Amino acid sequence: MKKKRTTPFLKRAADRELSGDEQACDVEDLERVGGGVVALGDVPQDGGSDSLYRLLKHHLPPGVFKEASRMILGLNNGSVVGMLPLPPAVMAMSTAADFDLQAYRFTAAEEELRAPRIVRIGVIQNAIVLPTDAPFADQKRAIMKRVGDLIEAAGTAGVNILCLQEAWTMPFAFCTREKTWCEFAESAEEGTSTKFLQMFACKFKMVIISPILERDEVHGGTLWNTAVVIGNNGNVIGKHRKNHIPRVGDFNESTYYMEGNTGHPVFETAYGKIAVNICYGRHHTLNWQAFGMNGAEIVFNPSATVGDLSEPMWPIEARNAAIANSYFVAAINRVGTEVFPRAFTSGDGKPAHKGFGHFYGSSYVAAPDSSCTPSLSRLQDGLMVVDADLNLCQQVRDKWGLRMTARYDLYANFFNEYTKHAFKPQVISDPLLHSGLEAHSL
């Protein structure tokens, strides 16, 4: 069945009251309806509304909506996160290729001894293109072509560092526990997706983070959930393997791969120090912290998660990590409803079914000062472009002093004791609770 895409309703450049040869693009200028889904059999889509932000904008009076936006998104350097002007060519590409396009700017206070360190971040969320029963090679080619269109737009927009979603070259088939999907695995260094992205990295002088299913030929063809970091000269800087594997009900990704063995690497690129916290690692606060302690200024969180499982947590976790660790976080989630040929159970208490659920997109970027952007669509492919002044990281660290006031020695001693067999929780009980005596109030 052919995938249905939404029709974008973009205001033309002539309708915008902006000067110069660029135009601003943000959620207030983009209205979408409907949603895309790859259907197979009789599984319906349950995508819901396009986004919370657009839902509020549609229903609230302008003044109330403005105040709600401040409360939801916070203030960056004393102001609501601002729109970022983009070239008209990028807007035209969004219209032609039918994807959600939003652009914002985070600022930092002007300093006397340091110039601004502005890096342009890009994140892409996308649905699969062909049904999951199509030949694997056709599925992968179709996804790469679609993502290539979005990367072209990111490059035209001047993005410096771009991150794709988890396992972007394939359906998120790990819910099925079927081993045929292992055919999508490839070498991190020499695989077709890496070579494909290296061309874009060279063309646009762009760092690209490519999360894939990796086959490690050096170690017997072992599989890993891996993010490959490609430098702005097309070289492979390195890779990081997913640290935490979900085991929720009978959904268990260790059918395919185990916990990674690369630690918490931070990659120093031409545009700043970046790290990749893959999907389920966002639920582990110490995982976020380790990347920060290794010096990360931007942490990307490529994910694949569905509404029933995690949507209430999604707008909170990445933003909280940015606050707690004084760095920027870019949270990326795939979008669309993927349906598979054979039914499976997924720990949700329901009879076997062919769909894992709706991947709700909603990718966004959070800043260390607690501000964040609105989210991309819950229903549609999208590109978000964000300018971030990395000076804000140190400014927030200086303001709150979180690392200076942390008690790492105290925590280290606690964790050391916790890992011992003889560990006992430090709990001080009211002696009257276990004495059989009744406590009397004064």
Side-chain angles (χ1 to χ4, degrees):
M1 183 179 294
K2 184 178 180 180
K3 180 180 176 183
K4 296 180 180 178
R5 293 195 181 275
T6 61
T7 301
F9 294 91
L10 294 173
K11 294 182 180 179
R12 299 292 182 182
D15 296 331
R16 301 177 185 274
E17 297 179 357
L18 293 171
S19 60
D21 60 354
E22 295 184 326
Q23 55 197 28
C25 169
D26 89 328
V27 71
E28 295 190 28
D29 295 325
L30 303 174
E31 298 294 341
R32 301 285 196 265
V33 295
V37 53
V38 175
L40 184 68
D42 57 356
V43 180
Q45 176 189 355
D46 186 20
S49 300
D50 184 79
S51 76
L52 170 63
Y53 199 74
R54 288 168 177 159
L55 195 65
L56 294 176
K57 181 179 185 293
H58 181 74
H59 289 284
L60 294 180
V64 177
F65 172 71
K66 183 177 181 181
E67 177 63 6
S69 298
R70 181 192 65 80
M71 296 172 68
I72 293 172
L73 303 179
L75 297 178
N76 164 237
N77 199 24
S79 302
V80 175
V81 177
M83 296 185 299
L84 175 67
L86 291 179
V90 182
M91 302 293 291
M93 295 168 84
S94 169
T95 303
D98 188 13
F99 60 85
D100 189 9
L101 175 66
Q102 299 183 35
Y104 304 96
R105 152 188 302 135
F106 291 103
T107 64
E110 185 177 348
E111 299 186 19
E112 293 188 27
L113 300 179
R114 284 197 307 175
R117 299 177 57 224
I118 298 172
V119 58
R120 183 159 292 186
I121 301 166
V123 301
I124 287 175
Q125 64 179 43
N126 62 279
I128 59 175
V129 180
L130 298 179
T132 58
D133 58 351
F136 288 177
D138 292 346
Q139 290 189 54
K140 186 172 181 178
R141 277 194 295 267
I143 292 172
M144 292 174 73
K145 183 179 185 304
R146 174 61 174 169
V147 172
D149 291 341
L150 275 76
I151 296 175
E152 283 285 347
T156 304
V159 165
N160 302 128
I161 307 175
L162 178 70
C163 188
L164 307 180
Q165 66 197 24
E166 183 184 24
W168 71 273
T169 63
M170 60 182 292
F172 197 76
F174 309 131
C175 54
T176 69
R177 299 184 293 281
E178 298 172 343
K179 289 303 183 78
T180 54
W181 303 102
C182 295
E183 290 188 42
F184 281 93
E186 58 184 293
S187 166
E189 294 79 14
E190 301 294 336
T192 56
S193 64
T194 296
K195 293 184 181 300
F196 174 71
L197 296 176
Q198 284 175 317
M199 295 187 299
F200 290 105
C202 291
K203 178 178 180 180
F204 294 112
K205 292 299 179 183
M206 179 194 300
V207 173
I208 302 178
I209 300 167
S210 174
I212 62 168
L213 181 61
E214 178 196 3
R215 187 175 294 282
D216 181 4
E217 298 291 357
V218 175
H219 296 94
T222 304
L223 299 183
W224 304 95
N225 187 320
T226 299
V228 184
V229 180
I230 301 170
N232 60 304
N233 292 307
N235 57 308
V236 175
I237 298 176
K239 61 189 176 185
H240 174 55
R241 292 166 173 162
K242 188 172 182 175
N243 279 335
H244 299 277
I245 304 303
R247 294 171 176 84
V248 181
D250 61 356
F251 173 63
N252 188 338
E253 291 178 14
S254 59
T255 301
Y256 299 90
Y257 42 77
M258 299 299 288
E259 287 80 3
N261 57 4
T262 52
H264 296 86
V266 169
F267 303 93
E268 186 172 13
T269 74
Y271 307 113
K273 295 180 179 179
I274 65 174
V276 192
N277 185 6
I278 303 173
C279 198
Y280 195 69
R282 72 183 183 277
H283 304 312
H284 296 267
T285 56
L286 293 179
N287 206 47
W288 289 109
Q289 184 177 10
F291 291 119
M293 293 175 75
N294 275 333
E297 297 171 304
I298 310 168
V299 178
F300 293 88
N301 178 223
S303 300
T305 183
V306 293
D308 289 346
L309 182 65
S310 66
E311 191 164 12
M313 298 185 287
W314 180 255
I316 300 169
E317 289 177 302
R319 192 172 182 182
N320 183 67
I323 297 168
N325 298 286
S326 302
Y327 51 46
F328 288 91
V329 176
I332 308 102
N333 185 31
R334 71 169 54 205
V335 70
T337 305
E338 301 176 4
V339 182
F340 294 91
R342 287 167 291 278
F344 55 88
T345 57
S346 56
D348 55 8
K350 299 178 182 179
H353 40 72
K354 294 184 177 181
F356 189 46
H358 180 71
F359 295 99
Y360 51 82
S362 304
S363 304
Y364 68 99
V365 177
D369 63 358
S370 79
S371 63
C372 72
T373 69
S375 298
L376 285 174
S377 172
R378 297 179 67 258
L379 307 172
Q380 189 179 22
D381 293 356
L383 166 66
M384 179 172 286
V385 180
V386 172
D387 273 5
D389 188 340
L390 299 184
N391 283 352
L392 186 63
C393 299
Q394 189 61 59
Q395 291 177 9
V396 172
R397 291 184 192 127
D398 290 343
K399 176 180 179 179
W400 285 101
L402 296 180
R403 295 190 183 180
M404 180 178 65
T405 57
R407 295 293 306 279
Y408 297 119
D409 55 342
L410 193 66
Y411 311 147
N413 289 335
F414 172 77
F415 287 124
N416 182 58
E417 292 300 315
Y418 185 81
T419 58
K420 296 179 180 178
H421 180 70
F423 170 79
K424 292 183 179 180
Q426 186 180 3
V427 178
I428 301 174
S429 299
D430 182 340
L432 296 183
L433 290 176
H434 308 290
S435 67
L437 299 177
E438 293 184 359
H440 300 282
S441 60
L442 295 178

